[in-house]
Amino acid sequence: MARVTVESLRKEYDTGSVVAVNDLDLEIEDGEFVTVVGPSGCGKTTTLRMLSGLEQPTDGRIKIGGEDVTDVHAKDRDVAMVFQNYALYPHKTVFENMEFGLRMSTDMGETERERRVVEAAEMMDIEDLLEDNPDELSGGQKQRVALGRAIVREPDLFLFDEPLSNLDAKLRTSMRAEIQRLQNALQITAVYVTHDQHEAMTMGDRIVILDGGELQQQGRPTEVYKNPVNEFVGGFIGSPSMNFVDVGVETSGSRVHLTGPDGVFQFDLSASYINDRKDALDSNRHTLGVRPEDVELATEGAANIITATIDVVEPVGSDNFLYLDVNDEFIARVDSNADLDPGDRVTITFDETDIHLFDTETGRNVFASKRDAPTVTT
Ligand code: ADP
Ligand code: MG
């Protein structure tokens, strides 16, 4: 059981020319399942390796269970890590692979080691594979062994580095559920790294988003989805990605009027919506963000519409994604019963409460503080 605290954590490589992690602060509750997500190279693995003790920070502190472990060697931390490539010893059996860590880093007796391995194997449903070698196993089975090996340690902290990336989509889905079930049952604090925002959203009690080695936002998955603090988070979370359009902003009386590029659309924000948000609009240009699922087909005579031509219709079952010729590309998610084809002209609209306005220069969401409660939690 452990609470994890990361304070001003920094990691430089190549004598400071690469800053992999920059001034990272995190507070992870005992028993919490936190997902860390961001594009390739954003510092996820480096962060995990510093938590595990495999990598020494350039600066900052790490505490696990109240103890400052910054200078504690990896083998002396109660931490178990699961990797994408399984990292099993090829010439050891499954049993030996699972037992090895206990044998090397504890003075546990043989009977207790065996009891732990058999119990973990049962939990992972691999008790029939204990005498096999890794090369006799499928990818999914190997990952189960790697998970089993992490469980036998009964660690204070689980660290997962993209553990499911080598599995096919169907297996990935079932292993996701399995890892969550396991963590729920064992109540061990977990940090799970992935580049896949869907995986991060569905698995995490809380999601931490990194870019360029820096914390962008953390919060419950729905909070982050509804209230991204900047354009990067807005675009990274959600699939297909949020649509972005540069707009001119004109204030007339108590209303605000948005104009799309080349006058492609006109959009009025009502006085009641603008209300106390007006001060945040400190420039006459902003980037408007709207999610495909918040776009709808407009009824005749509706205000605030965009007229566009359909480039592509992509069916995904209950819905269709319409790729529209607004601003190069603009995606709308509409009911698949709408009988629409490429080349058709459509009018679309969205609710003012579903839009996001970003500072075009800094990317900051100008209304973020005016929406729900702040998403930065500790
Ligand atoms: P992620 O896991 O998010 O893809 P990493 O933590 O592996 O990202 O890498 C973060 C940055 O640090 C990248 O720019 C990467 O090239 C750099 N980096 C990682 N490990 C090393 C290393 N051992 N030496 C030099 N640069 C590294
Ligand atoms: Mg990585």
Side-chain angles (χ1 to χ4, degrees), residues 6-14 16-26 36-37 39-51 55-62 193 208-216:
V6 168
E7 288 168 6
S8 310
L9 197 63
R10 180 181 180 86
K11 181 65 186 179
E12 298 174 358
Y13 289 112
D14 302 338
S17 61
V18 177
V19 180
V21 175
N22 190 8
D23 202 20
L24 181 66
D25 289 306
L26 288 177
V36 177
V37 67
S40 174
C42 73
K44 304 181 295 293
T45 294
T46 305
T47 302
L48 269 202
R49 288 174 58 84
M50 287 192 283
L51 286 173
E55 202 77 63
Q56 186 64 25
T58 309
D59 218 339
R61 310 305 301 171
I62 297 170
V193 157
V208 168
I209 299 148
L210 301 182
D211 188 36
E214 294 188 357
L215 177 67
Q216 302 294 309

mmCIF file of all heavy atoms in Angstrom, residues 6-14 16-26 36-37 39-51 55-62 193 208-216:
data_model
loop_
_atom_site.group_PDB
_atom_site.id
_atom_site.type_symbol
_atom_site.label_atom_id
_atom_site.label_comp_id
_atom_site.label_asym_id
_atom_site.label_seq_id
_atom_site.Cartn_x
_atom_site.Cartn_y
_atom_site.Cartn_z
ATOM 1 N N VAL A 6 5.688 12.833 -6.323
ATOM 2 C CA VAL A 6 6.771 13.227 -7.225
ATOM 3 C C VAL A 6 6.882 14.740 -7.141
ATOM 4 O O VAL A 6 5.896 15.446 -7.332
ATOM 5 C CB VAL A 6 6.435 12.778 -8.673
ATOM 6 C CG1 VAL A 6 7.379 13.421 -9.668
ATOM 7 C CG2 VAL A 6 6.471 11.261 -8.789
ATOM 8 N N GLU A 7 8.063 15.226 -6.812
ATOM 9 C CA GLU A 7 8.247 16.671 -6.624
ATOM 10 C C GLU A 7 9.311 17.219 -7.564
ATOM 11 O O GLU A 7 10.462 16.781 -7.528
ATOM 12 C CB GLU A 7 8.685 16.970 -5.173
ATOM 13 C CG GLU A 7 7.595 16.780 -4.157
ATOM 14 C CD GLU A 7 8.126 16.796 -2.728
ATOM 15 O OE1 GLU A 7 9.334 17.067 -2.527
ATOM 16 O OE2 GLU A 7 7.335 16.513 -1.822
ATOM 17 N N SER A 8 8.910 18.168 -8.400
ATOM 18 C CA SER A 8 9.843 18.885 -9.303
ATOM 19 C C SER A 8 10.826 17.943 -9.980
ATOM 20 O O SER A 8 12.026 18.215 -10.059
ATOM 21 C CB SER A 8 10.645 19.936 -8.522
ATOM 22 O OG SER A 8 9.793 20.720 -7.758
ATOM 23 N N LEU A 9 10.299 16.836 -10.479
ATOM 24 C CA LEU A 9 11.156 15.801 -11.062
ATOM 25 C C LEU A 9 11.682 16.242 -12.434
ATOM 26 O O LEU A 9 10.927 16.754 -13.263
ATOM 27 C CB LEU A 9 10.364 14.502 -11.198
ATOM 28 C CG LEU A 9 11.161 13.229 -11.391
ATOM 29 C CD1 LEU A 9 12.051 12.950 -10.197
ATOM 30 C CD2 LEU A 9 10.222 12.050 -11.622
ATOM 31 N N ARG A 10 12.963 16.029 -12.634
ATOM 32 C CA ARG A 10 13.588 16.433 -13.891
ATOM 33 C C ARG A 10 14.583 15.374 -14.336
ATOM 34 O O ARG A 10 15.295 14.795 -13.516
ATOM 35 C CB ARG A 10 14.322 17.766 -13.683
ATOM 36 C CG ARG A 10 15.018 18.299 -14.942
ATOM 37 C CD ARG A 10 15.731 19.612 -14.642
ATOM 38 N NE ARG A 10 16.398 20.151 -15.810
ATOM 39 C CZ ARG A 10 15.813 20.929 -16.729
ATOM 40 N NH1 ARG A 10 14.536 21.247 -16.603
ATOM 41 N NH2 ARG A 10 16.491 21.376 -17.768
ATOM 42 N N LYS A 11 14.614 15.104 -15.635
ATOM 43 C CA LYS A 11 15.623 14.195 -16.174
ATOM 44 C C LYS A 11 16.194 14.767 -17.462
ATOM 45 O O LYS A 11 15.475 15.011 -18.427
ATOM 46 C CB LYS A 11 15.008 12.816 -16.454
ATOM 47 C CG LYS A 11 16.002 11.814 -16.999
ATOM 48 C CD LYS A 11 17.094 11.474 -15.993
ATOM 49 C CE LYS A 11 18.165 10.581 -16.592
ATOM 50 N NZ LYS A 11 19.227 10.274 -15.616
ATOM 51 N N GLU A 12 17.496 14.961 -17.421
ATOM 52 C CA GLU A 12 18.211 15.412 -18.624
ATOM 53 C C GLU A 12 19.059 14.262 -19.152
ATOM 54 O O GLU A 12 19.560 13.457 -18.372
ATOM 55 C CB GLU A 12 19.154 16.580 -18.279
ATOM 56 C CG GLU A 12 18.452 17.810 -17.762
ATOM 57 C CD GLU A 12 19.441 18.882 -17.287
ATOM 58 O OE1 GLU A 12 20.663 18.635 -17.342
ATOM 59 O OE2 GLU A 12 18.966 19.942 -16.848
ATOM 60 N N TYR A 13 19.202 14.208 -20.451
ATOM 61 C CA TYR A 13 20.145 13.274 -21.071
ATOM 62 C C TYR A 13 21.159 14.073 -21.879
ATOM 63 O O TYR A 13 20.907 15.236 -22.212
ATOM 64 C CB TYR A 13 19.417 12.298 -22.020
ATOM 65 C CG TYR A 13 18.568 11.272 -21.324
ATOM 66 C CD1 TYR A 13 17.185 11.309 -21.447
ATOM 67 C CD2 TYR A 13 19.130 10.252 -20.563
ATOM 68 C CE1 TYR A 13 16.382 10.362 -20.816
ATOM 69 C CE2 TYR A 13 18.343 9.304 -19.941
ATOM 70 C CZ TYR A 13 16.968 9.369 -20.076
ATOM 71 O OH TYR A 13 16.191 8.426 -19.457
ATOM 72 N N ASP A 14 22.215 13.423 -22.248
ATOM 73 C CA ASP A 14 23.244 14.023 -23.106
ATOM 74 C C ASP A 14 23.662 15.387 -22.575
ATOM 75 O O ASP A 14 23.540 16.403 -23.271
ATOM 76 C CB ASP A 14 22.730 14.112 -24.567
ATOM 77 C CG ASP A 14 22.355 12.738 -25.086
ATOM 78 O OD1 ASP A 14 22.858 11.744 -24.527
ATOM 79 O OD2 ASP A 14 21.552 12.664 -26.033
ATOM 80 N N GLY A 16 22.353 17.508 -20.719
ATOM 81 C CA GLY A 16 21.379 18.590 -20.667
ATOM 82 C C GLY A 16 20.794 19.001 -22.004
ATOM 83 O O GLY A 16 19.888 19.834 -22.064
ATOM 84 N N SER A 17 21.287 18.413 -23.109
ATOM 85 C CA SER A 17 20.737 18.820 -24.406
ATOM 86 C C SER A 17 19.354 18.211 -24.637
ATOM 87 O O SER A 17 18.567 18.721 -25.430
ATOM 88 C CB SER A 17 21.691 18.451 -25.542
ATOM 89 O OG SER A 17 21.881 17.053 -25.564
ATOM 90 N N VAL A 18 19.038 17.113 -23.931
ATOM 91 C CA VAL A 18 17.685 16.547 -23.993
ATOM 92 C C VAL A 18 17.060 16.640 -22.600
ATOM 93 O O VAL A 18 17.637 16.155 -21.630
ATOM 94 C CB VAL A 18 17.714 15.063 -24.425
ATOM 95 C CG1 VAL A 18 16.300 14.473 -24.403
ATOM 96 C CG2 VAL A 18 18.344 14.897 -25.786
ATOM 97 N N VAL A 19 15.916 17.311 -22.513
ATOM 98 C CA VAL A 19 15.178 17.341 -21.255
ATOM 99 C C VAL A 19 13.981 16.402 -21.423
ATOM 100 O O VAL A 19 12.993 16.740 -22.064
ATOM 101 C CB VAL A 19 14.719 18.764 -20.886
ATOM 102 C CG1 VAL A 19 13.960 18.749 -19.553
ATOM 103 C CG2 VAL A 19 15.914 19.694 -20.802
ATOM 104 N N ALA A 20 14.099 15.184 -20.895
ATOM 105 C CA ALA A 20 13.070 14.162 -21.106
ATOM 106 C C ALA A 20 11.868 14.413 -20.207
ATOM 107 O O ALA A 20 10.727 14.175 -20.593
ATOM 108 C CB ALA A 20 13.643 12.773 -20.847
ATOM 109 N N VAL A 21 12.123 14.871 -18.987
ATOM 110 C CA VAL A 21 11.051 15.183 -18.030
ATOM 111 C C VAL A 21 11.416 16.510 -17.375
ATOM 112 O O VAL A 21 12.549 16.701 -16.934
ATOM 113 C CB VAL A 21 10.917 14.073 -16.962
ATOM 114 C CG1 VAL A 21 9.888 14.468 -15.904
ATOM 115 C CG2 VAL A 21 10.540 12.743 -17.614
ATOM 116 N N ASN A 22 10.450 17.425 -17.341
ATOM 117 C CA ASN A 22 10.731 18.776 -16.878
ATOM 118 C C ASN A 22 9.795 19.194 -15.753
ATOM 119 O O ASN A 22 8.598 19.373 -15.980
ATOM 120 C CB ASN A 22 10.606 19.739 -18.075
ATOM 121 C CG ASN A 22 11.114 21.135 -17.738
ATOM 122 O OD1 ASN A 22 11.697 21.354 -16.674
ATOM 123 N ND2 ASN A 22 10.886 22.066 -18.647
ATOM 124 N N ASP A 23 10.327 19.304 -14.547
ATOM 125 C CA ASP A 23 9.609 19.903 -13.420
ATOM 126 C C ASP A 23 8.238 19.251 -13.183
ATOM 127 O O ASP A 23 7.233 19.928 -13.084
ATOM 128 C CB ASP A 23 9.434 21.405 -13.693
ATOM 129 C CG ASP A 23 9.203 22.170 -12.399
ATOM 130 O OD1 ASP A 23 9.550 21.640 -11.325
ATOM 131 O OD2 ASP A 23 8.645 23.280 -12.469
ATOM 132 N N LEU A 24 8.241 17.935 -13.065
ATOM 133 C CA LEU A 24 6.980 17.195 -12.935
ATOM 134 C C LEU A 24 6.580 17.031 -11.466
ATOM 135 O O LEU A 24 7.380 16.580 -10.644
ATOM 136 C CB LEU A 24 7.146 15.817 -13.592
ATOM 137 C CG LEU A 24 5.912 14.902 -13.575
ATOM 138 C CD1 LEU A 24 4.802 15.486 -14.435
ATOM 139 C CD2 LEU A 24 6.286 13.509 -14.087
ATOM 140 N N ASP A 25 5.356 17.416 -11.167
ATOM 141 C CA ASP A 25 4.780 17.209 -9.839
ATOM 142 C C ASP A 25 3.585 16.279 -9.964
ATOM 143 O O ASP A 25 2.707 16.517 -10.787
ATOM 144 C CB ASP A 25 4.276 18.533 -9.236
ATOM 145 C CG ASP A 25 5.405 19.453 -8.844
ATOM 146 O OD1 ASP A 25 6.280 19.008 -8.080
ATOM 147 O OD2 ASP A 25 5.417 20.608 -9.317
ATOM 148 N N LEU A 26 3.573 15.218 -9.154
ATOM 149 C CA LEU A 26 2.427 14.303 -9.154
ATOM 150 C C LEU A 26 2.170 13.843 -7.734
ATOM 151 O O LEU A 26 3.101 13.686 -6.940
ATOM 152 C CB LEU A 26 2.728 13.053 -9.998
ATOM 153 C CG LEU A 26 2.790 13.157 -11.506
ATOM 154 C CD1 LEU A 26 3.171 11.797 -12.080
ATOM 155 C CD2 LEU A 26 1.471 13.628 -12.080
ATOM 156 N N VAL A 36 -0.818 7.432 -17.465
ATOM 157 C CA VAL A 36 0.002 8.531 -17.974
ATOM 158 C C VAL A 36 0.033 8.388 -19.486
ATOM 159 O O VAL A 36 0.397 7.342 -20.007
ATOM 160 C CB VAL A 36 1.430 8.467 -17.408
ATOM 161 C CG1 VAL A 36 2.295 9.578 -17.990
ATOM 162 C CG2 VAL A 36 1.408 8.552 -15.884
ATOM 163 N N VAL A 37 -0.395 9.445 -20.186
ATOM 164 C CA VAL A 37 -0.545 9.334 -21.632
ATOM 165 C C VAL A 37 0.071 10.542 -22.321
ATOM 166 O O VAL A 37 0.146 11.634 -21.745
ATOM 167 C CB VAL A 37 -2.054 9.182 -21.997
ATOM 168 C CG1 VAL A 37 -2.832 10.450 -21.690
ATOM 169 C CG2 VAL A 37 -2.243 8.765 -23.440
ATOM 170 N N PRO A 39 2.134 11.632 -26.511
ATOM 171 C CA PRO A 39 2.725 11.104 -27.741
ATOM 172 C C PRO A 39 4.104 10.505 -27.485
ATOM 173 O O PRO A 39 4.701 10.733 -26.429
ATOM 174 C CB PRO A 39 2.826 12.339 -28.646
ATOM 175 C CG PRO A 39 2.780 13.500 -27.731
ATOM 176 C CD PRO A 39 2.015 13.090 -26.513
ATOM 177 N N SER A 40 4.596 9.771 -28.451
ATOM 178 C CA SER A 40 5.907 9.146 -28.350
ATOM 179 C C SER A 40 6.969 10.213 -28.050
ATOM 180 O O SER A 40 6.956 11.290 -28.627
ATOM 181 C CB SER A 40 6.200 8.447 -29.681
ATOM 182 O OG SER A 40 7.502 7.956 -29.657
ATOM 183 N N GLY A 41 7.850 9.918 -27.096
ATOM 184 C CA GLY A 41 8.934 10.842 -26.760
ATOM 185 C C GLY A 41 8.579 11.901 -25.738
ATOM 186 O O GLY A 41 9.386 12.779 -25.441
ATOM 187 N N CYS A 42 7.371 11.829 -25.147
ATOM 188 C CA CYS A 42 6.948 12.887 -24.219
ATOM 189 C C CYS A 42 7.481 12.678 -22.805
ATOM 190 O O CYS A 42 7.246 13.509 -21.930
ATOM 191 C CB CYS A 42 5.426 13.022 -24.205
ATOM 192 S SG CYS A 42 4.596 11.676 -23.341
ATOM 193 N N GLY A 43 8.156 11.548 -22.559
ATOM 194 C CA GLY A 43 8.773 11.358 -21.244
ATOM 195 C C GLY A 43 8.091 10.327 -20.363
ATOM 196 O O GLY A 43 8.397 10.226 -19.174
ATOM 197 N N LYS A 44 7.204 9.514 -20.923
ATOM 198 C CA LYS A 44 6.455 8.531 -20.120
ATOM 199 C C LYS A 44 7.378 7.465 -19.534
ATOM 200 O O LYS A 44 7.351 7.200 -18.333
ATOM 201 C CB LYS A 44 5.362 7.854 -20.985
ATOM 202 C CG LYS A 44 4.392 8.811 -21.654
ATOM 203 C CD LYS A 44 3.332 8.088 -22.454
ATOM 204 C CE LYS A 44 3.843 7.305 -23.663
ATOM 205 N NZ LYS A 44 4.395 8.145 -24.747
ATOM 206 N N THR A 45 8.158 6.842 -20.412
ATOM 207 C CA THR A 45 9.043 5.760 -19.951
ATOM 208 C C THR A 45 10.079 6.294 -18.964
ATOM 209 O O THR A 45 10.349 5.664 -17.940
ATOM 210 C CB THR A 45 9.727 5.095 -21.161
ATOM 211 O OG1 THR A 45 8.714 4.439 -21.943
ATOM 212 C CG2 THR A 45 10.759 4.060 -20.730
ATOM 213 N N THR A 46 10.621 7.457 -19.259
ATOM 214 C CA THR A 46 11.618 8.049 -18.355
ATOM 215 C C THR A 46 11.014 8.265 -16.966
ATOM 216 O O THR A 46 11.651 7.971 -15.952
ATOM 217 C CB THR A 46 12.131 9.377 -18.943
ATOM 218 O OG1 THR A 46 12.619 9.129 -20.264
ATOM 219 C CG2 THR A 46 13.240 9.957 -18.101
ATOM 220 N N THR A 47 9.794 8.760 -16.920
ATOM 221 C CA THR A 47 9.109 8.967 -15.636
ATOM 222 C C THR A 47 8.973 7.644 -14.884
ATOM 223 O O THR A 47 9.301 7.547 -13.695
ATOM 224 C CB THR A 47 7.715 9.590 -15.867
ATOM 225 O OG1 THR A 47 7.874 10.823 -16.558
ATOM 226 C CG2 THR A 47 6.990 9.832 -14.549
ATOM 227 N N LEU A 48 8.515 6.603 -15.573
ATOM 228 C CA LEU A 48 8.348 5.290 -14.928
ATOM 229 C C LEU A 48 9.671 4.731 -14.445
ATOM 230 O O LEU A 48 9.754 4.164 -13.354
ATOM 231 C CB LEU A 48 7.748 4.284 -15.920
ATOM 232 C CG LEU A 48 6.253 4.117 -15.995
ATOM 233 C CD1 LEU A 48 5.916 2.763 -16.607
ATOM 234 C CD2 LEU A 48 5.579 4.255 -14.654
ATOM 235 N N ARG A 49 10.710 4.884 -15.270
ATOM 236 C CA ARG A 49 12.019 4.344 -14.891
ATOM 237 C C ARG A 49 12.587 5.064 -13.667
ATOM 238 O O ARG A 49 13.254 4.461 -12.847
ATOM 239 C CB ARG A 49 12.998 4.410 -16.074
ATOM 240 C CG ARG A 49 12.649 3.373 -17.159
ATOM 241 C CD ARG A 49 13.526 3.520 -18.393
ATOM 242 N NE ARG A 49 14.940 3.392 -18.106
ATOM 243 C CZ ARG A 49 15.603 2.230 -18.014
ATOM 244 N NH1 ARG A 49 14.948 1.104 -18.209
ATOM 245 N NH2 ARG A 49 16.877 2.208 -17.762
ATOM 246 N N MET A 50 12.253 6.336 -13.529
ATOM 247 C CA MET A 50 12.683 7.044 -12.322
ATOM 248 C C MET A 50 11.882 6.559 -11.116
ATOM 249 O O MET A 50 12.428 6.423 -10.023
ATOM 250 C CB MET A 50 12.541 8.555 -12.517
ATOM 251 C CG MET A 50 13.608 9.117 -13.456
ATOM 252 S SD MET A 50 13.709 10.916 -13.445
ATOM 253 C CE MET A 50 12.291 11.372 -14.441
ATOM 254 N N LEU A 51 10.591 6.275 -11.304
ATOM 255 C CA LEU A 51 9.786 5.739 -10.200
ATOM 256 C C LEU A 51 10.306 4.372 -9.760
ATOM 257 O O LEU A 51 10.299 4.039 -8.576
ATOM 258 C CB LEU A 51 8.310 5.616 -10.614
ATOM 259 C CG LEU A 51 7.515 6.922 -10.709
ATOM 260 C CD1 LEU A 51 6.128 6.667 -11.297
ATOM 261 C CD2 LEU A 51 7.381 7.572 -9.332
ATOM 262 N N GLU A 55 16.397 4.588 -13.252
ATOM 263 C CA GLU A 55 16.981 5.815 -13.800
ATOM 264 C C GLU A 55 17.081 6.821 -12.662
ATOM 265 O O GLU A 55 16.140 6.945 -11.874
ATOM 266 C CB GLU A 55 16.031 6.340 -14.891
ATOM 267 C CG GLU A 55 16.649 7.247 -15.903
ATOM 268 C CD GLU A 55 17.473 6.502 -16.939
ATOM 269 O OE1 GLU A 55 16.916 5.692 -17.693
ATOM 270 O OE2 GLU A 55 18.683 6.739 -16.968
ATOM 271 N N GLN A 56 18.209 7.488 -12.558
ATOM 272 C CA GLN A 56 18.417 8.462 -11.492
ATOM 273 C C GLN A 56 17.963 9.848 -11.984
ATOM 274 O O GLN A 56 18.398 10.290 -13.043
ATOM 275 C CB GLN A 56 19.916 8.477 -11.121
ATOM 276 C CG GLN A 56 20.276 9.344 -9.937
ATOM 277 C CD GLN A 56 19.644 8.860 -8.631
ATOM 278 O OE1 GLN A 56 19.331 7.681 -8.489
ATOM 279 N NE2 GLN A 56 19.430 9.777 -7.706
ATOM 280 N N PRO A 57 17.092 10.544 -11.248
ATOM 281 C CA PRO A 57 16.674 11.880 -11.691
ATOM 282 C C PRO A 57 17.836 12.879 -11.678
ATOM 283 O O PRO A 57 18.764 12.737 -10.875
ATOM 284 C CB PRO A 57 15.632 12.313 -10.651
ATOM 285 C CG PRO A 57 15.331 11.121 -9.829
ATOM 286 C CD PRO A 57 16.430 10.144 -10.002
ATOM 287 N N THR A 58 17.767 13.862 -12.559
ATOM 288 C CA THR A 58 18.735 14.952 -12.538
ATOM 289 C C THR A 58 18.429 15.872 -11.360
ATOM 290 O O THR A 58 19.322 16.434 -10.746
ATOM 291 C CB THR A 58 18.643 15.760 -13.863
ATOM 292 O OG1 THR A 58 18.717 14.843 -14.955
ATOM 293 C CG2 THR A 58 19.760 16.780 -13.972
ATOM 294 N N ASP A 59 17.133 15.978 -11.069
ATOM 295 C CA ASP A 59 16.684 16.870 -10.007
ATOM 296 C C ASP A 59 15.314 16.413 -9.526
ATOM 297 O O ASP A 59 14.607 15.724 -10.258
ATOM 298 C CB ASP A 59 16.575 18.295 -10.576
ATOM 299 C CG ASP A 59 17.030 19.326 -9.560
ATOM 300 O OD1 ASP A 59 17.029 19.014 -8.352
ATOM 301 O OD2 ASP A 59 17.396 20.436 -9.996
ATOM 302 N N GLY A 60 14.943 16.801 -8.318
ATOM 303 C CA GLY A 60 13.612 16.489 -7.799
ATOM 304 C C GLY A 60 13.629 15.292 -6.872
ATOM 305 O O GLY A 60 14.665 14.624 -6.713
ATOM 306 N N ARG A 61 12.489 15.033 -6.238
ATOM 307 C CA ARG A 61 12.380 13.950 -5.249
ATOM 308 C C ARG A 61 11.243 12.999 -5.598
ATOM 309 O O ARG A 61 10.245 13.401 -6.217
ATOM 310 C CB ARG A 61 12.096 14.490 -3.839
ATOM 311 C CG ARG A 61 12.977 15.608 -3.325
ATOM 312 C CD ARG A 61 14.459 15.340 -3.329
ATOM 313 N NE ARG A 61 14.919 14.196 -2.553
ATOM 314 C CZ ARG A 61 16.169 13.733 -2.606
ATOM 315 N NH1 ARG A 61 17.067 14.286 -3.394
ATOM 316 N NH2 ARG A 61 16.516 12.696 -1.879
ATOM 317 N N ILE A 62 11.386 11.750 -5.158
ATOM 318 C CA ILE A 62 10.321 10.746 -5.291
ATOM 319 C C ILE A 62 10.089 10.125 -3.924
ATOM 320 O O ILE A 62 11.045 9.689 -3.263
ATOM 321 C CB ILE A 62 10.715 9.643 -6.292
ATOM 322 C CG1 ILE A 62 10.896 10.233 -7.698
ATOM 323 C CG2 ILE A 62 9.660 8.530 -6.323
ATOM 324 C CD1 ILE A 62 11.515 9.262 -8.684
ATOM 325 N N VAL A 193 1.403 3.479 -18.116
ATOM 326 C CA VAL A 193 1.784 4.357 -19.214
ATOM 327 C C VAL A 193 1.280 3.817 -20.543
ATOM 328 O O VAL A 193 1.373 2.617 -20.813
ATOM 329 C CB VAL A 193 3.326 4.483 -19.260
ATOM 330 C CG1 VAL A 193 3.806 4.886 -20.634
ATOM 331 C CG2 VAL A 193 3.813 5.467 -18.222
ATOM 332 N N VAL A 208 -3.164 11.419 -16.517
ATOM 333 C CA VAL A 208 -2.121 12.446 -16.487
ATOM 334 C C VAL A 208 -1.616 12.588 -17.916
ATOM 335 O O VAL A 208 -1.207 11.604 -18.533
ATOM 336 C CB VAL A 208 -0.968 12.010 -15.555
ATOM 337 C CG1 VAL A 208 0.241 12.914 -15.726
ATOM 338 C CG2 VAL A 208 -1.427 11.979 -14.104
ATOM 339 N N ILE A 209 -1.662 13.797 -18.451
ATOM 340 C CA ILE A 209 -1.285 13.994 -19.848
ATOM 341 C C ILE A 209 0.024 14.769 -19.919
ATOM 342 O O ILE A 209 0.150 15.852 -19.348
ATOM 343 C CB ILE A 209 -2.398 14.738 -20.609
ATOM 344 C CG1 ILE A 209 -3.668 13.897 -20.563
ATOM 345 C CG2 ILE A 209 -2.005 15.007 -22.053
ATOM 346 C CD1 ILE A 209 -4.916 14.694 -20.548
ATOM 347 N N LEU A 210 1.009 14.173 -20.619
ATOM 348 C CA LEU A 210 2.317 14.803 -20.789
ATOM 349 C C LEU A 210 2.511 15.204 -22.238
ATOM 350 O O LEU A 210 2.009 14.554 -23.149
ATOM 351 C CB LEU A 210 3.446 13.821 -20.423
ATOM 352 C CG LEU A 210 3.504 13.215 -19.023
ATOM 353 C CD1 LEU A 210 4.741 12.318 -18.918
ATOM 354 C CD2 LEU A 210 3.539 14.297 -17.961
ATOM 355 N N ASP A 211 3.275 16.268 -22.433
ATOM 356 C CA ASP A 211 3.758 16.604 -23.773
ATOM 357 C C ASP A 211 5.107 17.305 -23.611
ATOM 358 O O ASP A 211 5.240 18.159 -22.734
ATOM 359 C CB ASP A 211 2.759 17.512 -24.502
ATOM 360 C CG ASP A 211 3.152 17.719 -25.964
ATOM 361 O OD1 ASP A 211 3.664 16.760 -26.587
ATOM 362 O OD2 ASP A 211 2.960 18.839 -26.478
ATOM 363 N N GLY A 212 6.080 16.916 -24.409
ATOM 364 C CA GLY A 212 7.403 17.526 -24.328
ATOM 365 C C GLY A 212 8.006 17.465 -22.938
ATOM 366 O O GLY A 212 8.674 18.410 -22.512
ATOM 367 N N GLY A 213 7.750 16.382 -22.212
ATOM 368 C CA GLY A 213 8.322 16.213 -20.879
ATOM 369 C C GLY A 213 7.593 17.002 -19.798
ATOM 370 O O GLY A 213 8.001 16.984 -18.639
ATOM 371 N N GLU A 214 6.518 17.703 -20.175
ATOM 372 C CA GLU A 214 5.840 18.553 -19.191
ATOM 373 C C GLU A 214 4.400 18.119 -18.965
ATOM 374 O O GLU A 214 3.694 17.715 -19.896
ATOM 375 C CB GLU A 214 5.869 20.008 -19.664
ATOM 376 C CG GLU A 214 7.294 20.524 -19.686
ATOM 377 C CD GLU A 214 7.400 22.013 -19.967
ATOM 378 O OE1 GLU A 214 6.353 22.662 -20.202
ATOM 379 O OE2 GLU A 214 8.540 22.512 -19.966
ATOM 380 N N LEU A 215 3.972 18.245 -17.716
ATOM 381 C CA LEU A 215 2.588 17.957 -17.360
ATOM 382 C C LEU A 215 1.671 18.975 -18.041
ATOM 383 O O LEU A 215 1.874 20.176 -17.928
ATOM 384 C CB LEU A 215 2.420 18.066 -15.839
ATOM 385 C CG LEU A 215 0.999 17.871 -15.311
ATOM 386 C CD1 LEU A 215 0.538 16.443 -15.522
ATOM 387 C CD2 LEU A 215 0.927 18.238 -13.832
ATOM 388 N N GLN A 216 0.675 18.472 -18.770
ATOM 389 C CA GLN A 216 -0.296 19.354 -19.394
ATOM 390 C C GLN A 216 -1.547 19.481 -18.528
ATOM 391 O O GLN A 216 -2.059 20.556 -18.298
ATOM 392 C CB GLN A 216 -0.697 18.820 -20.783
ATOM 393 C CG GLN A 216 0.466 18.644 -21.729
ATOM 394 C CD GLN A 216 1.107 19.971 -22.084
ATOM 395 O OE1 GLN A 216 0.417 20.899 -22.479
ATOM 396 N NE2 GLN A 216 2.414 20.062 -21.911
#
